[in-house]
Amino acid sequence: MALPLLQVALDNTTLEDAINSVKLYGHIIDIVEVGTILHVAEGIQATKTMRELYPDKIVLDDIKGADAGKTLAELCFGAGADIMTAICSADINTMIAMKNVGSQYGEYKDVQVELYGDWTYQEAQQWYDNGITQVVYHRSRDAELAGKTWGPTDFEKIGKLCDMGFKVTITGGLKASDLHLFKEFPIHGVIGGRSIRNADDPAQAAQAFKDEIKRIWG
Ligand code: 5RP
Ligand code: MG
């Protein structure tokens, strides 16, 4: 199995901050994420800038699109994103529209479904059957603040999604020291946000994720 990819979420509130941050560890990571917060703060220019700064990396726009899939996808892929996200409650036609626009920009362009709140395996099967094969399993930031930890329900869902054939990315306040919790799963991607950006030494924190990924899944 390929090693899980390391994605860093740039949830900065200014583009200047995001650039200063990513320059510290951009060379270490696999996927540069224009975080939802950065996108809200700075718009599609943030995606264009990350594409320019990292022409050879995967750039992901975490727009969490809910509707108007074609228009959002034209903005995201048009700005150079390789992957954009859709919220799990979006209509399947929104996701299909995003995917269709992506395929006009290149065969590797993709759509990831962000799993929050209520969703069903029946819906997940529908995504998969329509070529939407990537999901992000989330512990929400606000749930984390309210004390939610990773537990058996999360692991059961992650395992089932892997078994269904999804490429599963995990996220939500992850630290390198949490990754062993997921060792039994063929995880596709790991997202670090605050634990890397806000570390005293962000490059060292990104490298710690990389080292731990290699130790667990290598
Ligand atoms: C929240 C997100 C974040 O980008 C993701 O959770 C990673 O950030 P952190 O590690 O800081 O939680 O999409 O909705
Ligand atoms: Mg994000």
Side-chain angles (χ1 to χ4, degrees), residues 1 13 34 38 44 51-52 69 71 81 91 94 97 104 130 146 186 194-195 199 213:
M1 168 198 142
T13 52
V34 176
L38 179 61
I44 203 67
R51 176 81 287 160
E52 281 163 20
T71 306
D91 192 275
T94 298
Q104 288 162 19
N130 282 283
R194 288 160 291 169
S195 69
I213 285 171

Side-chain angles (χ1 to χ4, degrees), residues 23-174:
K23 279 190 170 165
L24 300 173
Y25 45 76
H27 56 292
I28 298 170
I29 69 179
D30 303 299
I31 304 178
V32 178
E33 174 189 326
V34 176
T36 315
I37 292 172
L38 179 61
H39 195 117
V40 168
E42 297 278 10
I44 203 67
Q45 184 56 43
T47 310
K48 288 184 186 159
T49 301
M50 291 307 148
R51 176 81 287 160
E52 281 163 20
L53 283 176
Y54 295 101
D56 301 324
K57 299 264 179 197
I58 299 169
V59 172
L60 180 145
D61 195 328
D62 189 12
I63 194 168
K64 295 185 174 72
D67 200 2
K70 180 170 180 286
T71 306
L72 292 184
E74 281 166 352
L75 285 165
C76 293
F77 294 122
D82 298 300
I83 305 172
M84 67 180 292
T85 61
I87 196 74
C88 58
S89 53
D91 192 275
I92 185 68
N93 292 296
T94 298
M95 298 177 189
I96 292 170
M98 291 173 177
K99 184 85 185 167
N100 286 344
V101 171
S103 58
Q104 288 162 19
Y105 280 87
E107 64 178 306
Y108 297 108
K109 303 287 176 178
D110 216 343
V111 177
Q112 272 184 352
V113 180
E114 291 262 340
L115 302 175
Y116 277 100
D118 294 328
W119 52 273
T120 65
Y121 293 117
Q122 199 181 355
E123 287 165 336
Q125 191 61 54
Q126 197 184 25
W127 306 331
Y128 195 87
D129 292 344
N130 282 283
I132 318 279
T133 59
Q134 293 205 42
V135 293
V136 184
Y137 191 89
H138 247 283
R139 174 177 59 161
S140 99
R141 204 191 252 231
D142 297 324
E144 179 197 351
L145 281 173
K148 185 181 183 298
T149 55
W150 295 100
T153 312
D154 300 311
F155 303 134
E156 189 193 319
K157 289 180 182 169
I158 290 168
K160 174 103 189 216
L161 289 163
C162 292
D163 290 347
M164 289 173 79
F166 282 102
K167 291 179 178 171
V168 179
T169 292
I170 48 171
T171 189
L174 284 177

